[in-house]
C-alpha cells in the first residue's frame, strides 16, 4: 500500500492514496458521532464520506472495488448523515443567528418550531445510529480495509499519473460547465447568453422558488468538481488554484441560497402556513439574505458564462506540471 505522495507514480497509486485519506477521515469521527456530543464530528464524517465517494467515482477507471464498497453504498450512508447534519445547521441558524434579532412575539413562535426541530433531530440521530451499527456499514469498512491492504486495480491503473490527469479531470469539468443551472437568471438571445441584471428582491425570490432545485444541483456539481480538483492539485500551479478557489466560491454562494431555501421550507411546514403570517421579520431577513447572495452570485455567474473563461479553464487542465 502506498503511504506517501513521494512514492505515488501511477494512476492506481493516486487512487489508493485518495481512498485511504478520506476513509481514515470519516473513521476518525465515527465514535464521537455515535456519542452525539458535538455537531462538528458529524460534519467532518459526512465530508469524509462525500470526498471518499467522489474519489471512488473519479478514479473508477483504475480501481476494482468489491460490491459492498461501491459508490452507491457510500452515498446511501452519507445521505443518512446528511439529514441529521441539515437539522443541526438549521437549528444553529435559527437559534443563534435569527432568534436574537426577532421581537418577543416572533421569538415565541420560533420556540415552538425549535421544539419540533428537536424532536425531528432525535429521530434522525436514531436513524444515524442504526445505520452506523448496521451490517451494511460494517461490511463497507471491512471491504475498504481489505482493499487498501491489497488494492485490486484495472489494467489502466498502470498508466503514469501525469499522462492521464486531463482525462481524469475534464469529464467532471464538463459536467460542471454543461449544468443547466448556469442559465437560471439568464436568457439566450440570438445565440448569446445574457445575465438578467437589476432584478428586484421579489423577482429574485421568484427565480429561486422556480429554479432553486437547479441551483442546488449546480452546487453539488461544484462540490464534486472541487473534491476531484483538490485530489490532484499537486500537479498544477497558480492558475489551477485560482479556478479551484472559484469553484469553492460557487459552492459557498449557492450553499447560502440553499440553506435559506431549506429554512423557509421547514418553517412553512412547521407552521402549516406562509412564514410571513407568523414570522414576518424572519421572512424579510431571509429575503434580504437571498438577495445579497444573488448579488454575489451574479459576478461569478457572468464570468463562467463567458466563453473565454470556459476555454481557459479547459486549456489549463490540459497542461499539468509534468515535473511535479
Amino acid at each position: 500500500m502506498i503511504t506517501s505522495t513521494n512514492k505515488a507514480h501511477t494512476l492506481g497509486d493516486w487512487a489508493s492514496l485518495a481512498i485511504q485519506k478520506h476513509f481514515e477521515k470519516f473513521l476518525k469521527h465515527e465514535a464521537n458521532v455515535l456519542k452525539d456530543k458535538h455537531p462538528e464530528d458529524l460534519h467532518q464524517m459526512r465530508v469524509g464520506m462525500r470526498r471518499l465517494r467522489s474519489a471512488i467515482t473519479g478514479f473508477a477507471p483504475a480501481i476494482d472495488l468489491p460490491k459492498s464498497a461501491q459508490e452507491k453504498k457510500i452515498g446511501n450512508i452519507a445521505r443518512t448523515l446528511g439529514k441529521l447534519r441539515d437539522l443541526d445547521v438549521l437549528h444553529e441558524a435559527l437559534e443563534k443567528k435569527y432568534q436574537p434579532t426577532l421581537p418577543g412575539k416572533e421569538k415565541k413562535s420560533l420556540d415552538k418550531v425549535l421544539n419540533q426541530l428537536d424532536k425531528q433531530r432525535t429521530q434522525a440521530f436514531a436513524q444515524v445510529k442504526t445505520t452506523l451499527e448496521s451490517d451494511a456499514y460494517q461490511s463497507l469498512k471491512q471491504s475498504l480495509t481489505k482493499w487498501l491492504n491489497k488494492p485490486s486495480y484495472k489494467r489502466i491503473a498502470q498508466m503514469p499519473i501525469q499522462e492521464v490527469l486531463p482525462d481524469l479531470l475534464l469529464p467532471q469539468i464538463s459536467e460542471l460547465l454543461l449544468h443547466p443551472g448556469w442559465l437560471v437568471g439568464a436568457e439566450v438571445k440570438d445565440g448569446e447568453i445574457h445575465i438578467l441584471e437589476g432584478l428586484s428582491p421579489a423577482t429574485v425570490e421568484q427565480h429561486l422558488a422556480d429554479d432553486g432545485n437547479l441551483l442546488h444541483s449546480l452546487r453539488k456539481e461544484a462540490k464534486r468538481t472541487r473534491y476531484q480538483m483538490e485530489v490532484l492539485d499537486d500537479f498544477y500551479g497558480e492558475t489551477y488554484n485560482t479556478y479551484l478557489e472559484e469553484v469553492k466560491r460557487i459552492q459557498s454562494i449557492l450553499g447560502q441560497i440553499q440553506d435559506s431555501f431549506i429554512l423557509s421550507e421547514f418553517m412553512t411546514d412547521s407552521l402549516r402556513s406562509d412564514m410571513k403570517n407568523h414570522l414576518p421579520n424572519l421572512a424579510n431577513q431571509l429575503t434580504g439574505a437571498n438577495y445579497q447572495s444573488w448579488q454575489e452570485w451574479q459576478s461569478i455567474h457572468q464570468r463562467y458564462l463567458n466563453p473565454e473563461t470556459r476555454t481557459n479553464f479547459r486549456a489549463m487542465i490540459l497542461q499539468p506540471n509534468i515535473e511535479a
Side-chain angles (χ1 to χ4, degrees):
M1 179 174 63
I2 298 293
T3 58
S4 168
T5 57
N6 294 329
K7 297 179 181 179
H9 303 292
T10 68
L11 175 57
D13 292 341
W14 279 85
S16 178
L17 275 176
I19 291 171
Q20 180 184 359
K21 176 182 177 181
H22 302 312
F23 179 51
E24 289 177 351
K25 179 181 177 66
F26 84 70
L27 282 183
K28 177 182 176 182
H29 297 279
E30 178 189 311
N32 284 335
V33 167
L34 286 169
K35 292 176 183 176
D36 197 27
K37 289 187 175 181
H38 201 291
E40 185 62 20
D41 289 304
L42 172 67
H43 173 57
Q44 293 301 327
M45 185 175 185
R46 182 193 185 194
V47 168
M49 295 203 80
R50 282 183 163 182
R51 292 192 176 207
L52 174 64
R53 187 183 181 192
S54 294
I56 288 174
T57 301
F59 286 107
I63 56 178
D64 185 17
L65 288 173
K67 287 185 178 180
S68 56
Q70 303 262 330
E71 173 267 339
K72 288 184 179 179
K73 302 287 186 181
I74 298 168
N76 291 337
I77 296 167
R79 275 189 288 275
T80 301
L81 298 179
K83 291 177 182 177
L84 181 58
R85 173 60 183 169
D86 287 345
L87 292 174
D88 284 342
V89 171
L90 188 56
H91 194 287
E92 183 176 12
L94 288 173
E95 186 176 54
K96 296 182 179 180
K97 182 177 180 180
Y98 293 111
Q99 192 174 44
T101 70
L102 299 177
K105 186 177 180 180
E106 289 193 34
K107 284 183 178 180
K108 290 181 180 179
S109 295
L110 190 54
D111 281 337
K112 295 178 182 178
V113 173
L114 288 170
N115 288 335
Q116 185 172 340
L117 186 58
D118 287 337
K119 293 178 183 178
Q120 290 192 23
R121 193 194 183 283
T122 298
Q123 295 172 350
F125 176 71
Q127 184 60 48
V128 166
K129 191 172 186 295
T130 298
T131 298
L132 296 186
E133 293 174 347
S134 68
D135 291 342
Y137 179 69
Q138 300 305 318
S139 179
L140 167 67
K141 291 194 297 180
Q142 292 167 7
S143 296
L144 283 174
T145 299
K146 185 177 179 180
W147 187 89
L148 285 167
N149 286 331
K150 190 178 180 181
S152 177
Y153 299 118
K154 299 174 184 176
R155 293 185 69 178
I156 200 69
Q158 303 171 70
M159 292 284 288
I161 185 66
Q162 291 93 337
E163 295 182 16
V164 297
L165 286 168
D167 304 310
L168 287 175
L169 287 166
L170 282 174
Q172 183 56 52
I173 302 299
S174 295
E175 290 290 331
L176 175 66
L177 296 180
L178 286 173
H179 196 283
W182 291 108
L183 293 183
V184 176
E187 61 181 0
V188 181
K189 285 187 177 180
D190 300 324
E192 293 186 358
I193 304 174
H194 302 276
I195 298 291
L196 298 175
E197 298 180 321
L199 300 180
S200 67
T203 305
V204 168
E205 284 296 298
Q206 190 59 54
H207 276 291
L208 296 180
D210 293 340
D211 293 316
N213 288 336
L214 269 179
L215 290 178
H216 179 46
S217 177
L218 177 57
R219 176 207 181 188
K220 291 193 289 186
E221 206 63 68
K223 185 181 295 184
R224 284 189 283 267
T225 303
R226 169 193 173 181
Y227 291 167
Q228 189 71 358
M229 290 181 71
E230 286 178 338
V231 169
L232 301 170
D233 63 356
D234 287 346
F235 296 97
Y236 290 89
E238 185 176 342
T239 303
Y240 184 92
N241 288 325
T242 298
Y243 277 101
L244 176 55
E245 288 303 314
E246 287 184 338
V247 171
K248 290 180 184 178
R249 187 175 170 223
I250 291 167
Q251 178 192 338
S252 176
I253 294 171
L254 296 181
Q256 293 168 16
I257 293 172
Q258 176 64 12
D259 288 347
S260 290
F261 180 79
I262 291 174
L263 196 154
S264 297
E265 192 174 55
F266 180 82
M267 298 299 289
T268 298
D269 290 344
S270 298
L271 298 167
R272 298 185 179 182
S273 69
D274 194 320
M275 182 171 57
K276 294 178 182 178
N277 297 331
H278 299 272
L279 297 158
N281 284 278
L282 178 55
N284 288 335
Q285 286 188 56
L286 291 179
T287 298
N290 280 339
Y291 191 66
Q292 182 177 345
S293 296
W294 184 268
Q295 301 303 312
E296 293 179 46
W297 168 240
Q298 288 224 300
S299 61
I300 200 164
H301 189 191
Q302 180 75 62
R303 173 165 159 71
Y304 276 79
L305 286 179
N306 185 322
E308 183 178 357
T309 299
R310 299 160 75 89
T311 298
N312 290 341
F313 196 178
R314 298 186 204 98
M316 178 270 300
I317 295 297
L318 293 171
Q319 299 174 350
N321 178 7
I322 300 302
E323 302 303 320

